Amino acid sequence: MTETFPIKQPIWCAGCGHFGVLAAMDASFDRLEIPRHDALVLAGIGCSGTVQNHMPSYGYHALHGRVVPSAIGAKLANPDLTVVAAGGDGDGYAIGGGHLLHAFRTNANITYVVMNNETYGLTKGQPSPSNAGGYQGQREMDPIMVGLSLPGSTFLARAYTGAPAQLDDLMDAAINHARAGQGFAFLEVISPCVTYNDNYHEWPSTLVNVDEDEGYDPSDRATAMALNMKLASEGKVAAGLIYRASATLREATGDSPPTPLEGIDLPRFTDSYEQVLDGYVG
Amino acid sequence: MTETFPIKQPIWCAGCGHFGVLAAMDASFDRLEIPRHDALVLAGIGCSGTVQNHMPSYGYHALHGRVVPSAIGAKLANPDLTVVAAGGDGDGYAIGGGHLLHAFRTNANITYVVMNNETYGLTKGQPSPSNAGGYQGQREMDPIMVGLSLPGSTFLARAYTGAPAQLDDLMDAAINHARAGQGFAFLEVISPCVTYNDNYHEWPSTLVNVDEDEGYDPSDRATAMALNMKLASEGKVAAGLIYRASATLREATGDSPPTPLEGIDLPRFTDSYEQVLDGYVG
Amino acid sequence: MEKENKVAEPIQIDDVNVLVSGQGGDGSLTVTNMLGSLLRARGMGVYTERDVLSRIKGGKAAASLRGSLNERFVVRDRLQLAVIMDEEGLHGVANRLGGDSVLLYDSSDAPIPEGLISDDVRVLVAPFGRLAVRRLGRILYKNSISTGVVARILSIPDEEVRTEFRARFKRLGGAIIDQNLKALDLGFEIAEGMELSSDTGVFRVDKGDIGERLLMTGNEAIGMGFVVGGGRFFAGYPITPATDVLEFLQRHLPTFGGVAWQGEDELASVNMAIGASLTGVRSGTGSSGPGIALMQEGIGQAGSGEVPLVVVDTQRAGPSTGMPTKPEQSDLNMVCFGGNGDFERIVLVPGDPEDCFWLTVDACNLAQKYQMPVFVVTDQAISQNTASVPRFDLDQVKIDVGKRLSEEDLKSLEKYQRYAITEDGVSPYSVPGTPGGQSLVTGNERDEFGNVTTLPGIRQKMADKRKLKLETAKDDLPKPREYGDESAEIGIVVVNAGWGAGMDAVDELKKLGVASRLHHPRTLWPLTDETRSFIDEKKRVYVIDHSSSAQLSGVLMHAGISSQKLHSIMRYDGTPLRPVDLAEEIYRRETEK
Amino acid sequence: MEKENKVAEPIQIDDVNVLVSGQGGDGSLTVTNMLGSLLRARGMGVYTERDVLSRIKGGKAAASLRGSLNERFVVRDRLQLAVIMDEEGLHGVANRLGGDSVLLYDSSDAPIPEGLISDDVRVLVAPFGRLAVRRLGRILYKNSISTGVVARILSIPDEEVRTEFRARFKRLGGAIIDQNLKALDLGFEIAEGMELSSDTGVFRVDKGDIGERLLMTGNEAIGMGFVVGGGRFFAGYPITPATDVLEFLQRHLPTFGGVAWQGEDELASVNMAIGASLTGVRSGTGSSGPGIALMQEGIGQAGSGEVPLVVVDTQRAGPSTGMPTKPEQSDLNMVCFGGNGDFERIVLVPGDPEDCFWLTVDACNLAQKYQMPVFVVTDQAISQNTASVPRFDLDQVKIDVGKRLSEEDLKSLEKYQRYAITEDGVSPYSVPGTPGGQSLVTGNERDEFGNVTTLPGIRQKMADKRKLKLETAKDDLPKPREYGDESAEIGIVVVNAGWGAGMDAVDELKKLGVASRLHHPRTLWPLTDETRSFIDEKKRVYVIDHSSSAQLSGVLMHAGISSQKLHSIMRYDGTPLRPVDLAEEIYRRETEK
Ligand SMILES: Cc1ncc(C[n+]2csc(CCOP(=O)(O)OP(=O)(O)O)c2C)c(N)n1
Ligand SMILES: Cc1ncc(C[n+]2csc(CCOP(=O)(O)OP(=O)(O)O)c2C)c(N)n1
Ligand code: SF4
Ligand code: SF4
Ligand SMILES: [Mg+2]
Ligand SMILES: [Mg+2]
């Protein structure tokens, strides 16, 4: 076998939530039997932004905040790939917040996993937009509620790195959703930062697992929104598969599914090129 | 009187919705008796981005998409000013979408008026994020629903340039909200582009005026959200004062209201400066 | 103040420069288009220049046109004919009319103000607008009416004009054709009153023998170059005057299995293009100054991570939002030196639409072969003005994907390192989907495998490797082109629309007895040896700086060219470069010596 | 391979260079801090340099320290003492030790590999970590233990160390003090075993007479300069190594009625600062390379709209994300030439923390007085390393708000035009809240009132006016400073940390018999006449380029300096500039001639 890049150990602090996310993602490719060479894992900048280095897929280290457009570009260019974007909450909600909004809106077939520790780990602990700021215990920004507010969103889920079984399931579901051409799959994983925001102890009592609620119908956007608003006002946060559109309102990735890109050798196109030129003869 | 800049006529196409918005905003300062020299009107880039030139306030023409952070900066620096940001939907929802999200989140005391014509007027008619794309008649992005999904938002309203009386009322309310220190006031005005997206005829039957609904309680975020989701699924859009927080969840503009900036003459601060330096003696 | 019409034999000309000015949206610019077609039909090359404001309706809108026996890419300063539809249009045109010029004026609203137009200009006046409304019911017909007079002025036979009208209005149906032909006849009637009969007007334009040509803007040519150069993914965000490229690609790329995507902003666009490029698909983005400024970080990422990326910068007058519809060449510093840290890039600066096509094809190849950002930088003038250019010979196009590894290639390797240090600095690459080629791409410093590192030794090697790529690319870089007297002592260096203006300036200087040689680097960064020797060999070199900080001169000096040799001629008032302006300035400086 | 300890009289030194290396988070860097305080207490100037990875925990972390009788801003290549806590730390230090160096090594985990350390180095070894755990229960105490040995090596009397310990651990309470004093005694005990008794170690460090000093990093000094310079609004976004400035201001600005705001990104930050600046409040933003790249459009907006703006660029090694914790001077091109279109800017390049303070004060004045963006550009080295500097004399600070109009001023005017064309290019300004001063600010081209226009005549005047401001500012621009032999033929041009390294290099060269003169422009753009004449007067000028594309040289040439004179010395491996490296390279080139 041709030797390729050595898979090093992460340099995260012992106990960092990101270990669990990496493990779940890496294993998910195996569970779903996705050949590693068909997967492109893109990550942002942050402690979280190194996951791709620890898996044997194609990996790309994007700019801070730009992992989502990078991933969408890759997927539009080659729809045959399994494209997974990953990153932190600073990366995804602060500097990348605009792109997230538009990713929900345009619903491209990629999976996006955010490791939310409510802080900027790598730059040493500044507050991020999703932290439980001054809004009487409500998180300043809940990206899943933002997602619910947009008609284009099709998959919204939240896992907890401290609950690995559910994380595994949701990871599989998120990757499958996009691979199956059902659109943008958004998975937030609560992944505490032991060094700057160690709140592992809070999460078990904060998270309310909708997957355990028999009566919960994740295909009903309005109910999902109502529940999330109620939970937020109680200082709680929903976990599980919060919303999955039963049918997409329009095809994913924009107005029409792109044809796969079929090579650019000149001869096969020459005639059509000449036709375009004909339109400019004058 | 010292002569200052001549107030020129707008160069908009005859029938452009923006005329109505300009008229309402200009008149609102009079109605509210806000001295023009205490008002800073900032605008983005677009056909809509010239309103500030047609009013006798202080005016600033921001970069495309950056009118909201510019306005927040101005207000944080001088809380005594009445700060009104304005612009188009391309400006505010596409390139500026991220800033809008964070403006809802941080709830600074500015008013933001978006003239939504669902298109890029100035660059000749490309689709904008809020247009009624492929989602079965639903607008791809409804910024008011996004606002409702964030706990920090305090004032969300929609007017129609074709209904000037309501527009006047909402304009006054929006400017007052921020001036009164209650936070970020967001007013979307449906303002059709006769040249690239002339849909005046559609709006009367699309808009559902909550101001006319006696039973509607604009202080209830959950109900507001539920109503908007329902209307959206029917291809309708809410108008009126959709949400106004009865009490803000935390003080506007972040963690603490900034002290007014009190001049920078050296002598008054010298002692305190020396104290800071003392901390570095070593 | 209407003047008496002198009757005389038409003046024979082989170079005709016409300006038409009206209000935005009043259709007056179609006069230019019709005239263009008429001249093309007579075997001339045509060049059309628009001058519009960044606003939607209303406001002065002008277009000018040049017909010539060779391909020329500028409208000359001195006009043979100006067609002015209202008083506003008169201002700014007066100084472009002279002894052998004709002014055709629509007097519907206001007469020509006393003293504005010099006495030796031949002035023809008629109330086109009023006549159109009175006789044909719609003001729009003033354009067809005036076209009739214009044709007579230029001695173009009536029948040629009728044929052109029938062709042009064909798809609009019989009634419209008829009305316009009526308007045309009215124009001929008015011309008769001015004593201009068919085929004996004021001028008689030579027939040329320029055969089939494409009529294209630089933006369209860039779009076409991208498609033919194998570009299959393009992401952009609307901005004047760059939007046309995105729109061309949205229209044409899908036919070829490609995607042209309107991103939510420029940051999304450049990063989408980078993401697409990772898959091996040739990708690009484009904008004008403000958008390119926003893309600086992304472009550096392509430079650092060695990701192929084509970036089109359609320059407009700055700074900041500046003057969106006005020409300038003031992003040169940004494209050559913008972005943080040291990264390699190639900057191509085409001079006309044909050049736009070929340099964009080159950009697609260079970007992928050398795995770096390649800029195609134009200005508003060449991007939006229409020129007739030879049909592109597609047989000359070559596609070179560089060191791309197939599954088989990979198997034969002992190890595959995405950033392998090689003799030429270029690492073989594998793209996602290829078994066994898994690899890491990053904008951080990294080792050969792509793992992030800060070890000084490795860092140094990686930086050297990236520098080496630019050395290696040297022979592949598009070569400069020149015009004028090879043995002249005087050199003139230009980019973009400077090429068209410069050619005419060289001719003008020759008439004034000054020999000069025009040099168009085409590759601006890295500066080619050819450009260096050109400057070396000339005694004095004039640099045409369409910017207020002399950016082209700055780039040359940055590259080590001595300031002693360089003489900057600057323009930064938002108007196009004009040959006579340039020639006169050079002449002045030469004779002052 | 422990060596026999030679017993001899301590070597008298007046310049001590120590490196301490351990793992990130193991506290070994506190050894440097304690030693720094000890030397300060003895009247020396100290300079401390950190070398960490961009990762949170673990990974080699090193700090080095220099004590000297003058203020020096670099640690010398050759170390007197290296304190190495693990095997990893030995690599990379070996070549900085020589005949008169001591290596103190913690052998808890591994012995020193054979052959790594040259034989003439004096090696002292003890298992500090193991002893700390065994004797005091916590590995952290290894730092206090080794400090004891270090003090003995440098012949610092035990009592001085105890005093320092008591002061340092005071706020941590009695138990902690006691434990650390115990650890210290253990260190003394170990030293005894090495035959180092109190006050007679290997070296004896001179006492100095440097009085009260501030111990500050460049980032802190910039924060302080901003506050004292009247800055009252700062918006930024975290990024290594620039975050410290934002954090300093978040800590201190509120006391002075100011606001330091963490924006959602760099685009928000720069535009918030611009918005704040419109109100007359002195405003700034800051970041490192990638963030400054994102701000390019915003900075151009300040340039176009004539809005005062201070921009701090704390350079790190690029390109793109690059190497966040490593020093480099590779954003010089971007700050001088980035952004679209032509706009005026001032670029200041301080060389040490004191200079950071003063140039930031200057930046605040220049930005407001000339209504344009002013950059304060540092590098990771001067920004994050700590130096002892003279206390800033606040009496020297002047605040100049330029042509600001009060309500009364306005009343006395016939008309008020925000962009009035004036003799010096600077327009009087009124800020919101001032009655009668309503005005329009825009990034588009505009007339004097601020109304958007594209009229060529006005445009030209506006561009000229903006250029003129930079001319007018000339006399206000911070002047260069120099060091070394004024009459030397050889010049050396440096910015940022080049100043500290350069001073030592000049001394080194002198020892080698080569006279040289160091020149620090301080204002890099526009280039001052002083820098031009300096280069003119010298026979050969070496430019220290801490970048792989020789950016400092490029900026000089761009400004018209002939390439003939300039000789670039480049470094781009992510390591700090070292005096001996520079001196040796210059010496080599000088003697090869
Ligand atoms: C343009 C830009 N701005 C800022 C930074 C600095 N930066 C690196 S990581 C980071 C935030 C990391 O936080 P998050 O995304 O939450 O990831 P975490 O470390 O918490 O996993 C920042 C601000 C950068 N690399 N690029
Ligand atoms: C950075 C940047 N990108 C693109 C543009 C070009 N541009 C100017 S206005 C505009 C969109 C205008 O649309 P909108 O905000 O909806 O305003 P409208 O004209 O419809 O009122 C765009 C894309 C620009 N000026 N700056
Ligand atoms: S700092 Fe926080 S986020 Fe970063 S590795 Fe450590 S625990 Fe994880
Ligand atoms: S193009 Fe549209 S938005 Fe612009 S002025 Fe005309 S009608 Fe209004
Ligand atoms: Mg985080
Ligand atoms: Mg719009």
Side-chain angles (χ1 to χ4, degrees), chain A residues 49-112:
Chain A
T50 60
V51 272
Q52 79 288 5
N53 297 336
H54 312 300
M55 280 180 280
S57 318
Y58 281 88
Y60 174 62
H61 200 182
L63 285 168
H64 186 46
R66 314 298 165 202
V67 68
V68 168
S70 308
I72 292 177
K75 183 71 185 186
L76 292 177
N78 185 350
D80 292 339
L81 298 176
T82 297
V83 176
V84 178
D89 49 321
D91 194 80
Y93 307 154
I95 189 169
H99 302 308
L100 179 59
L101 210 59
H102 294 290
F104 284 135
R105 181 173 71 79
T106 50
N107 197 27
N109 288 317
I110 63 162
T111 301
Y112 180 34

Side-chain angles (χ1 to χ4, degrees), chain C residues 228-244:
Chain C
V228 174
R232 286 298 179 269
F233 183 91
F234 188 90
Y237 184 77
I239 187 167
T240 307
T243 315
D244 316 336

Side-chain angles (χ1 to χ4, degrees), chain B residues 47-61:
Chain B
C47 293
S48 43
T50 62
V51 274
Q52 80 287 5
N53 297 336
H54 312 300
M55 280 180 280
S57 318
Y58 281 87
Y60 174 62
H61 200 182

Side-chain angles (χ1 to χ4, degrees), chain A residues 18 48 88-91 115-122 128 191 193:
Chain A
H18 301 351
S48 43
D89 49 321
D91 194 80
M115 302 171 217
N116 187 355
N117 52 18
E118 304 177 295
T119 191
Y120 290 31
L122 190 62
S128 93
S191 174
C193 168

Side-chain angles (χ1 to χ4, degrees), chain B residues 18 48 88-91 115-122 128 191 193:
Chain B
H18 301 350
S48 43
D89 49 319
D91 194 79
M115 304 173 214
N116 187 355
N117 53 18
E118 304 178 294
T119 191
Y120 290 31
L122 191 63
S128 94
S191 175
C193 167

Side-chain angles (χ1 to χ4, degrees), chain C residues 238-280:
Chain C
I239 187 167
T240 307
T243 315
D244 316 336
V245 175
L246 175 62
E247 287 177 347
F248 180 97
L249 291 170
Q250 285 178 321
R251 203 156 53 244
H252 294 295
L253 258 190
T255 324
F256 306 104
V259 174
W261 189 262
Q262 181 183 317
E264 60 266 26
D265 62 17
E266 289 85 352
L267 303 166
S269 301
V270 66
N271 285 287
M272 283 174 171
I274 288 173
S277 187
L278 293 173
T279 71

